[in-house]
Amino acid sequence: MTEIVIERLGLHGDGIAAGPIYAPLTLPGERVEGDITGERMETPRIVEPSSDRVKAPCPRFKRCGGCSLQHASDDFVAKWKISVVETALRAQGLDAPIRGIETSPAASRRRAVFSARRTKSGAQVGFHVRGSDQIVEIDGCTLLHPELLAARPIVAELAKVGGSRKGELSVTISLTQNKLDVLVTGGKPLDDKLRMELGPLAEKLGLSRLAWDDETVALRHPPAQEFDGILATPPAGSFLQATRHGEDVLRAAVLEAVGDAGYVADFFAGCGTFSLPLARKAEVWALEGVREMIQALDLGWRNAKGLKKMKAQVQDLFRNPVIAADMQKLDAVVLDPPRAGAQAQVAEIAQTKIPVIAYVSCNPVTFARDAAVLVKAGYRLNWVQVVDQFRWSSHVELAARFDRA
């Protein structure tokens, strides 16, 4: 048994001691002991706890891999997530006013990915054990919206029909305006026999849509999502902000940053999280690499009333960014890229005189990298709003505003 003192948390939420030695479920200042293999102490015993240590609100926390920070106080987690953003900015030589953090409430997650296996007696449904491919069955969850938690029997039924004893189903369930939207991957190949079984099962289970791998096998009602009162129907499994609260905070930040801009480009627009609300006051040029998502955005715009002109365009902004010459008439840009950031597109924006940029990020490190390019090109980072809609995880999101200095 080796004793170590935890000095800080890493980006994935593990405690880090000198060495470095990584210890899960520990906090800075704690003295812990355990066996070390390589650079990890997998099962640390707390010798001297931190004053920030609390009793986890979920009794499944130590086994379930869904959360990583329930052993820390809410105040500690909030300060730590702000510090993650500050550290990423400092690493690029940047500083900016941080407005604090907005944290989504418990039991508000509107999408979940369940793991399921068919068993002799029925089906096993839950989430992976921490650091394992084993499934821990759950009878409660502090993260999920109650309607999602109540969907476990649906997952079990799908596993019984389309699962195998050897393989594991991944079942993504999203709350929509019209009941549940379900996508299943990892199951049996979709042949005629399985199609014949899944259609009636979707009806019996009351699903809005059931997709199996890349094919929709049942569509009872359009699984619409509401973006600030405007409806759009995303394709199965497409990106959706994790909580309604998180989406509201990010949208408010984007609308504030853009202000009264008359012509706005929304890069990585998805299905219209920001494009559709922006179109109430501005003409919008929306670009997204996934054709089905931009089609959903365009249809949502066409079915809505009172929106200004929208141009919805399919374009891979990683391989084919919009060039600077094509952005000269824009009054503002909204960026909401995946975790990799928007390096190629930011390089083009940096060559323009666009007055305002609103940047939404799910990765402070790539955000800071892109921000440094913009600042070097003459932009000023006005403010950063940190958002925690992945409560009790190490995941950090933010929204920021840039203008021409």
Side-chain angles (χ1 to χ4, degrees):
M1 297 285 282
T2 303
E3 190 173 282
I4 58 175
V5 176
I6 304 301
E7 297 177 349
R8 68 188 191 280
L9 290 192
L11 288 177
H12 298 293
D14 283 351
I16 304 177
I21 303 297
Y22 299 87
L25 309 184
T26 59
L27 296 173
E30 293 188 326
R31 191 176 299 276
V32 303
E33 64 178 13
D35 295 324
I36 298 174
T37 303
E39 294 183 333
R40 293 192 65 81
M41 180 184 286
E42 288 293 352
T43 56
R45 187 180 74 84
I46 309 300
V47 177
E48 186 177 319
S50 164
S51 59
D52 291 309
R53 179 171 285 276
V54 298
K55 182 180 179 181
C58 178
R60 306 151 205 83
F61 170 61
K62 288 188 176 180
R63 277 179 53 78
C64 178
C67 295
S68 57
L69 289 169
Q70 286 203 355
H71 60 297
S73 68
D74 288 347
D75 184 60
F76 172 86
V77 173
K79 290 178 179 177
W80 176 70
K81 292 196 174 188
I82 290 173
S83 75
V84 168
V85 176
E86 292 173 333
T87 300
L89 290 173
R90 281 199 301 269
Q92 296 289 345
L94 300 176
D95 187 22
I98 293 182
R99 294 177 158 186
I101 186 168
E102 288 281 352
T103 301
S104 293
S108 64
R109 188 76 63 84
R110 61 179 174 178
R111 166 177 283 184
V113 182
F114 292 94
S115 296
R117 287 193 183 96
R118 185 163 61 85
T119 65
K120 286 183 178 180
S121 58
Q124 187 181 29
V125 176
F127 300 119
H128 283 147
V129 173
R130 193 181 311 280
S132 168
D133 61 357
Q134 293 182 325
I135 295 175
V136 54
E137 295 193 71
I138 58 167
D139 55 3
C141 179
T142 54
L143 279 178
L144 301 186
H145 189 285
E147 290 182 39
L148 277 186
L149 190 59
R152 288 170 298 139
I154 292 174
V155 179
E157 288 295 318
L158 291 168
K160 292 174 190 177
V161 171
S164 69
R165 296 280 297 280
K166 295 181 180 179
E168 178 182 300
L169 264 67
S170 180
V171 183
T172 302
I173 303 184
S174 303
L175 299 181
T176 78
Q177 296 294 107
N178 296 306
K179 299 192 176 181
L180 300 178
D181 188 15
V182 179
L183 168 66
V184 181
T185 59
K188 295 177 183 177
L190 188 59
D191 55 19
D192 290 341
K193 180 177 180 296
L194 184 55
R195 283 190 187 89
M196 292 294 290
E197 292 180 283
L198 291 175
L201 182 60
E203 182 72 28
K204 171 189 169 185
L205 298 175
L207 305 181
S208 133
R209 174 173 58 189
L210 174 60
W212 201 268
D213 292 326
D214 57 356
E215 183 177 327
T216 297
V217 295
L219 180 61
R220 299 174 62 250
H221 307 287
Q225 295 291 341
E226 180 184 320
F227 301 123
D228 195 27
I230 305 168
L231 296 180
T233 302
S238 62
F239 174 78
L240 184 69
Q241 296 293 344
T243 69
R244 177 68 64 188
H245 167 270
E247 181 184 296
D248 290 347
V249 172
L250 292 172
R251 182 182 61 251
V254 167
L255 293 178
E256 178 191 345
V258 168
D260 295 327
Y263 183 29
V264 181
D266 184 6
F267 295 136
F268 309 95
C271 296
T273 304
F274 304 122
S275 292
L276 293 172
L278 282 166
R280 286 197 174 103
K281 295 176 62 177
E283 290 188 15
V284 178
W285 181 20
L287 298 99
E288 166 60 48
V290 180
R291 180 174 300 277
E292 293 79 9
M293 294 177 74
I294 209 72
Q295 289 172 338
L297 187 161
D298 185 62
L299 185 59
W301 171 74
R302 292 177 185 280
N303 289 335
K305 295 180 179 179
L307 301 186
K308 292 185 178 293
K309 183 179 178 181
M310 171 89 70
K311 179 183 178 182
Q313 179 175 325
V314 181
Q315 188 160 329
D316 184 341
L317 298 173
F318 293 107
R319 298 181 180 181
N320 183 27
V322 178
I323 62 173
D326 291 339
M327 293 187 281
Q328 298 305 326
K329 295 182 180 180
L330 292 172
D331 299 312
V333 160
V334 176
L335 287 162
D336 183 17
R339 292 189 61 79
Q343 192 168 23
Q345 189 58 68
V346 163
E348 293 294 332
I349 294 171
Q351 300 175 49
T352 73
K353 300 298 182 182
I354 298 170
V356 175
I357 300 167
Y359 196 133
V360 175
S361 172
C362 58
N363 186 341
V365 174
T366 56
F367 165 75
R369 177 204 66 199
D370 292 347
V373 173
L374 293 171
V375 170
K376 185 176 180 180
Y379 280 94
R380 175 174 51 199
L381 179 51
N382 303 129
W383 48 258
V384 176
Q385 172 67 63
V386 184
V387 180
D388 182 11
Q389 58 176 325
F390 289 88
R391 189 170 181 148
W392 297 309
S393 81
S394 59
H395 196 71
V396 185
E397 295 182 276
L398 62 88
R401 183 185 192 271
F402 298 82
D403 69 5
R404 271 290 176 187

